[in-house]
Amino acid sequence: VTYADGSLIGESNGVYTTDANGEILISGLEPGKSVVVTETRAPDGYIIDTQPQTIVIQAGKTVALTFANQPKGELIIEKRDSVTHEPLADATFRVTTSAGTVVDNAGGAVSSNGLYTTNASGQIVITDLQPDTYIVTEVEAPEGYQMDAPSQTVKMNSGDTQTLTFYDTPKGTLVIEKRDSIT
C-alpha cells in the first residue's frame, strides 16, 4: 500500500495482510491523497489479482477497495482397465500447459518434469491450477497393459474441477503346450 507518489504507508514497508474476515483497515491516512493498493500474494488455492487499484482518501470518510480472487482449478486423472473399468495404479502421466510448460508443482503434488503416477485408486489429483489449457499424456502404462489413447487436452477455467479418464487394454496371453502324440 503506497501513496501515489510511491511513499510507503505503514510501519511494515507498505505490506498488510487481511484478517479472518478478509479485510484490512488502515486509519490515519491523509485526506485528498491518492492511495495505490496492489495485491502481492493471494490466499492458497486462489489466483492473485495483480491489477493495482487507486482511491482518493476523503476527509472523515471510510473508503473501500475490493480485490476479488478467483479459485484455482482441480484436475482429476483417472486410469481404468478398458474391459472391467476397474481402476489401475502405477500409470505415469506427463502434464503440461498448452505452451509446453510442465506442471511440476501443483497443489503440493511435486513431480519431476511434470510426471505423476496414479495411486491405488487409479487417480491423480492436481489442485491449484491456473486457468489454461492442459495436455495430459500417458507415458507409461501399468505392467500388463497397453495404452489405448495416450493423450487428452482439457481447458481449465477458474474454479473448475475437470476429470479425464484414460483406459488401457490388458495384454493377452498365449499358452503353447507340447504334448506327446500317443499319450
Side-chain angles (χ1 to χ4, degrees):
V1 179
T2 66
Y3 284 113
D5 66 6
S7 58
L8 300 172
I9 296 175
E11 297 178 9
S12 298
N13 293 323
V15 176
Y16 291 86
T17 302
T18 56
D19 63 16
N21 297 318
E23 297 178 341
I24 298 169
L25 178 64
I26 304 171
S27 56
L29 298 174
E30 296 179 41
K33 290 190 97 173
S34 292
V35 173
V36 180
V37 180
T38 306
E39 184 175 27
T40 58
R41 185 175 54 90
D44 290 343
Y46 288 88
I47 300 166
I48 191 170
D49 180 356
T50 58
Q51 184 65 42
Q53 295 186 40
T54 303
I55 195 161
V56 176
I57 302 303
Q58 299 174 15
K61 293 188 178 181
T62 299
V63 293
L65 292 174
T66 301
F67 285 81
N69 295 115
Q70 298 294 320
K72 292 181 179 178
E74 177 177 85
L75 177 61
I76 301 168
I77 302 166
E78 293 184 334
K79 186 62 178 178
R80 297 194 174 272
D81 181 299
S82 66
V83 177
T84 65
H85 295 263
E86 291 294 316
L88 296 174
D90 300 322
T92 303
F93 291 86
R94 175 172 280 118
V95 182
T96 63
T97 65
S98 58
T101 305
V102 296
V103 177
D104 60 4
N105 188 1
V110 179
S111 77
S112 174
N113 296 318
L115 297 176
Y116 297 86
T117 302
T118 55
N119 61 21
S121 300
Q123 289 189 336
I124 299 165
V125 179
I126 303 172
T127 59
D128 293 341
L129 291 174
Q130 299 280 350
D132 202 338
T133 299
Y134 293 89
I135 301 164
V136 179
T137 305
E138 184 176 7
V139 294
E140 187 176 335
E143 186 162 335
Y145 287 87
Q146 67 180 26
M147 287 183 254
D148 290 355
S151 186
Q152 293 185 43
T153 301
V154 63
K155 181 175 174 29
M156 299 288 297
N157 295 308
S158 294
D160 273 359
T161 296
Q162 300 277 351
T163 301
L164 295 178
T165 304
F166 289 79
Y167 293 94
D168 280 352
T169 301
K171 292 181 179 178
T173 304
L174 171 64
V175 175
I176 300 173
E177 293 182 349
K178 178 71 174 165
R179 302 208 177 227
D180 181 295
S181 63
I182 298 173
T183 62

